Amino acid sequence: MQSSVPPFSELLANTRDSAVHLEMRDDYGTNPRLEAWQRGERVDWNDRESWWHPFHQTIADAVARDVSVRRARVVSEPVSEYIRWEHDATQGNLAAGEDVRWLPRSQVTGFLVPANDFWLFDGNLLRIHHFAGDGSHVRDELSTDAETLKLCASAFESIWQRATPHSEYKI
């Protein structure tokens, strides 16, 4: 494991073919956009300037270079309030060019999955996310360990194949 982790934007900028992201938590803590949603404020998806963030541009830039960006979310059902918000906010990911799928946790039994969320870049660099029990981000680490890369790639593909595309996943 490496200790110095470059920013996500730099890792994705150096990606040539694919970036996959596996999310498996039902809560990632709080943030201003979630809090606004909880107050009943909704995004005006027609007003791109109001919601388009540097993250979206980073994804769009990668997709424009023909990088495939896929995200799979494993969620408990019934879903948490955080996941309801995340489902609504996914419109921004899709607009940026990500392909997003959802898989109920009950359908993951029998899969070997890592305990941490991750991004896998070009199948050869893993950015592992560590979270506290309350969902707050603790730290990231990088790995190029061949066996870990293989395990994470396999876990992602198994989930992806069974997962429901965002447009069809109803909460």
Side-chain angles (χ1 to χ4, degrees):
M1 298 284 173
Q2 302 173 11
S3 61
S4 177
V5 179
F8 172 78
S9 58
E10 182 179 323
L11 295 171
L12 192 56
N14 291 321
T15 301
R16 295 182 182 157
D17 298 310
S18 68
V20 300
H21 186 37
L22 182 60
E23 295 180 351
M24 296 183 295
R25 297 184 56 87
D26 290 319
D27 191 316
Y28 290 89
T30 192
N31 65 65
R33 293 182 305 140
L34 168 62
E35 292 166 1
W37 184 87
Q38 289 170 324
R39 290 189 303 269
E41 298 173 25
R42 295 299 181 258
V43 173
D44 177 358
W45 295 110
N46 294 317
D47 181 12
R48 180 175 160 155
E49 190 173 308
S50 71
W51 58 265
W52 190 262
H53 297 287
F55 172 81
H56 297 110
Q57 191 60 53
T58 298
I59 297 295
D61 291 347
V63 171
R65 294 190 325 272
D66 291 326
V67 173
S68 168
V69 181
R70 298 181 294 156
R71 179 184 305 252
R73 292 179 170 138
V74 175
V75 296
S76 299
E77 292 182 324
V79 300
S80 67
E81 182 177 39
Y82 188 97
I83 296 299
R84 284 195 306 276
W85 165 73
E86 196 171 50
H87 188 269
D88 185 51
T90 296
Q91 182 61 35
N93 300 74
L94 300 174
E98 271 192 62
D99 193 359
V100 180
R101 294 186 182 182
W102 302 80
L103 186 62
R105 193 171 313 283
S106 62
Q107 295 180 30
V108 181
T109 304
F111 289 1
L112 180 59
V113 296
N116 297 304
D117 291 10
F118 63 82
W119 276 95
L120 178 59
F121 303 96
D122 288 333
N124 60 26
L125 179 63
L126 191 65
R127 182 180 184 176
I128 304 161
H129 303 296
H130 297 279
F131 294 94
D134 66 359
S136 61
H137 182 258
V138 174
R139 67 183 173 88
D140 291 328
E141 65 179 307
L142 296 180
S143 176
T144 56
D145 177 75
E147 290 197 26
T148 304
L149 293 170
K150 184 178 176 181
L151 173 93
C152 290
S154 176
F156 180 88
E157 292 304 330
S158 295
I159 288 168
W160 185 259
Q161 290 173 14
R162 195 174 282 184
T164 302
H166 176 76
S167 63
E168 298 172 25
Y169 184 70
K170 307 301 177 205
I171 58 171

